[in-house]
Amino acid sequence: MDRGVETSKGGCSDSGYLSGCERSSHKAPATESGHMSVEHMVSQSSDDNGVDMIAPRKEDVMGKEFKTIELAEEYYMSYAKGIGFSVRKDKLVRNSEGKVCRRRWCCSKEGLRNEKFNDRSERIRPPKAITRQNCSAHFWVGYEKKRDVYVVRNFEPHHNHQLVTPLESPYLRCNRVVRKSDLAQAVGMQRALFRTCQTYEYMVDQCGGYLNVGFQIKDLYNKLDASRREILLDGDTEAALCYLKAKGAMDPEFFCKFSVDEENRLGNLFWRDSTSLLDYIAYGDVLIFDSTYKTNDYDNPLVLFVGSNNYRSTVMFGCALLQDETFETYKWLLETFMASMKDKKPISILTDGDEAMRKAIDDVFPMSNHRLCSWHVSRNAQNNLKDDELLRNF
């Protein structure tokens, strides 16, 4: 599909219409040789309070090697499931090439809740139950470049809380995973008019019990809901372009233009109606060009072109949804805006202090006066002028 396909007067052309466009942009135990079983690793010990706990022998784990970071995670998750505690991903360090060089996992009960969240006087609902108990159990691996392996650097096996029984372990949060195969089966049964609760009971029967299914019915409901939302969001692209095409059929001066990315997904979208064109011809000497801070559900910048009429009322010249805020994207947008307005260039442009926006304006409108709007100038003065008298004079 041609990128940046432009529509003719009267709406989106068929060549520029995106059909079915997408929006942009139980773990098995590790089988690496040398892995010991959980039963071999554990020994009986007790903490300082005399509470019996199951803990591995630290010397058996320290220095252990893994080919990939995924194998290290599978190893610790498998160990945690056998011991009876839940795991939380903690610190992650990458090198300049983006490769994980250090990774830490910890017990889900590590740390303590901040006291300020317990003493909030304006609280309406009662606080949630405290789950953090300052547990120090953790598992840390580091990458050795020479041997291209991950080595266990630090391992703390002892917990300061009661561990769950083997019957309860499958219900811990880190052990409840709805696999892709389970989701596909559930979606297929939904299409056959099976209810979610019936689907879950069928999966339980397939696996031979609730302990073997790998997740709870609430997890299945959540996964199906998330999948349904993704389908709706993907369908929003087609719905939006259908709406704009219908607007073009009713408004002969309606204009819209969009681009697609490398994966054939909707990238940037600009539109304006005939009223915006008339307003810009009459009042387009001064153009205000600004973008919101990704306040929509798609996390995309919304750009507004506005001005002021002879009654000092705000008039809208056009709108755009962008995939990012780079120089190339802003340049595409300004060139599209100028083409939609019959190549009329503004005399003055007011924007915020965005560097990519400034470069795009200098490239597309080199003869226009580019200034910061008064609100941004005032905010910059308040942030940088520390002298109150000087600020008042300003």
Side-chain angles (χ1 to χ4, degrees):
M1 179 178 293
D2 185 22
R3 285 165 175 73
V5 180
E6 183 176 347
T7 63
S8 59
K9 289 184 180 181
C12 301
S13 65
D14 293 338
S15 61
Y17 178 65
L18 291 178
S19 178
C21 180
E22 298 180 1
R23 188 171 71 96
S24 30
S25 244
H26 315 287
K27 297 187 178 179
T31 58
E32 180 182 280
S33 60
H35 283 202
M36 64 189 72
S37 65
V38 171
E39 290 77 15
H40 176 70
M41 291 173 55
V42 300
S43 60
Q44 193 71 23
S45 64
S46 61
D47 62 3
D48 296 337
N49 299 322
V51 179
D52 290 337
M53 306 183 70
I54 298 178
R57 291 192 295 267
K58 188 171 182 177
E59 59 272 15
D60 292 335
V61 181
M62 291 295 296
K64 194 167 185 61
E65 298 178 359
F66 303 92
K67 288 295 183 183
T68 64
I69 197 69
E70 290 79 15
L71 283 176
E73 182 177 18
E74 289 176 3
Y75 177 81
Y76 192 57
M77 295 286 285
S78 176
Y79 157 74
K81 185 175 182 180
I83 296 299
F85 68 94
S86 185
V87 175
R88 187 175 78 244
K89 293 181 180 179
D90 195 25
K91 296 180 181 178
L92 173 67
V93 180
R94 299 180 183 271
N95 57 20
S96 58
E97 300 174 354
K99 185 177 182 62
V100 177
C101 55
R102 278 184 291 172
R103 182 51 145 162
R104 185 178 187 268
W105 296 267
C106 63
C107 176
S108 62
K109 293 183 180 293
E110 186 193 50
L112 293 172
R113 179 180 294 178
N114 197 315
E115 288 296 330
K116 69 178 182 180
F117 296 113
N118 295 328
D119 302 330
R120 293 172 58 185
S121 58
E122 73 279 6
R123 183 186 298 277
I124 299 176
R125 298 179 179 178
K128 293 183 178 180
I130 295 178
T131 58
R132 303 289 180 90
Q133 297 183 23
N134 205 23
C135 180
S136 60
H138 63 268
F139 181 72
W140 193 308
V141 298
Y143 179 67
E144 285 194 6
K145 190 174 182 179
K146 292 182 179 180
R147 293 189 294 159
D148 191 27
V149 294
Y150 289 91
V151 181
V152 178
R153 300 297 189 189
N154 204 346
F155 174 63
E156 175 55 57
H158 298 289
H159 298 261
N160 64 352
H161 55 89
Q162 184 69 37
L163 304 179
V164 303
T165 65
L167 291 178
E168 297 171 325
S169 183
Y171 299 108
L172 294 175
R173 183 174 181 179
C174 68
N175 297 328
R176 304 197 321 258
V177 179
V178 181
R179 296 161 301 201
K180 291 183 178 180
S181 58
D182 298 326
L183 179 61
Q185 183 180 16
V187 171
M189 295 184 70
Q190 265 194 343
R191 292 172 180 170
L193 303 182
F194 283 89
R195 297 168 60 188
T196 304
C197 59
Q198 296 171 328
T199 301
Y200 182 73
E201 292 298 332
Y202 177 74
M203 292 179 174
V204 170
D205 185 63
Q206 272 186 321
C207 298
Y210 290 95
L211 295 179
N212 301 326
V213 71
F215 51 89
Q216 295 179 321
I217 188 171
K218 182 62 176 177
D219 301 319
L220 184 59
Y221 272 109
N222 292 340
K223 197 70 175 180
L224 287 171
D225 184 63
S227 177
R228 190 181 305 112
R229 289 175 183 272
E230 289 179 1
I231 295 173
L232 290 175
L233 290 177
D234 290 341
D236 282 353
T237 298
E238 186 172 350
L241 293 177
C242 283
Y243 173 79
L244 294 176
K245 189 174 183 180
K247 292 285 290 184
M250 297 183 294
D251 187 349
E253 288 292 343
F254 185 85
F255 182 97
C256 72
K257 182 179 179 181
F258 59 87
S259 65
V260 295
D261 59 16
E262 291 78 6
E263 299 180 7
N264 203 35
R265 298 180 299 186
L266 181 65
N268 305 313
L269 174 65
F270 170 82
W271 71 95
R272 65 112 183 102
D273 58 14
S274 58
T275 303
S276 297
L277 175 63
L278 295 176
D279 287 337
Y280 182 77
I281 293 175
Y283 311 113
D285 291 341
V286 178
L287 175 65
I288 301 174
F289 173 36
D290 196 11
S291 64
T292 62
Y293 190 69
K294 302 179 181 180
T295 56
N296 50 74
D297 291 339
Y298 306 98
D299 202 31
N300 289 346
L302 172 65
V303 176
L304 303 176
F305 294 92
V306 298
S308 178
N309 60 18
N310 55 336
Y311 296 102
R312 294 189 178 182
S313 298
T314 300
V315 289
M316 184 75 68
F317 297 146
C319 306
L321 280 172
L322 305 180
Q323 59 183 353
D324 53 43
E325 296 178 282
T326 61
F327 164 75
E328 291 77 12
T329 299
Y330 280 130
K331 182 179 179 181
W332 175 92
L333 177 60
L334 292 177
E335 290 175 345
T336 301
F337 176 79
M338 186 172 62
S340 72
M341 297 301 181
K342 305 186 184 303
D343 292 331
K344 177 184 176 180
K345 298 181 180 180
I347 297 176
S348 298
I349 302 177
L350 302 178
T351 69
D352 58 15
D354 186 89
E355 185 66 18
M357 190 182 294
R358 183 189 66 80
K359 290 181 179 180
I361 292 174
D362 293 342
D363 189 80
V364 179
F365 300 129
M367 304 304 295
S368 299
N369 301 313
H370 180 208
R371 297 290 184 267
L372 291 178
C373 70
S374 59
W375 184 87
H376 286 93
V377 173
S378 300
R379 188 182 65 173
N380 291 340
Q382 293 173 4
N383 293 337
N384 296 286
L385 295 180
K386 306 304 180 182
D387 190 321
D388 293 339
E389 184 177 357
L390 182 61
L391 183 60
R392 285 194 298 270
N393 293 334
F394 175 81

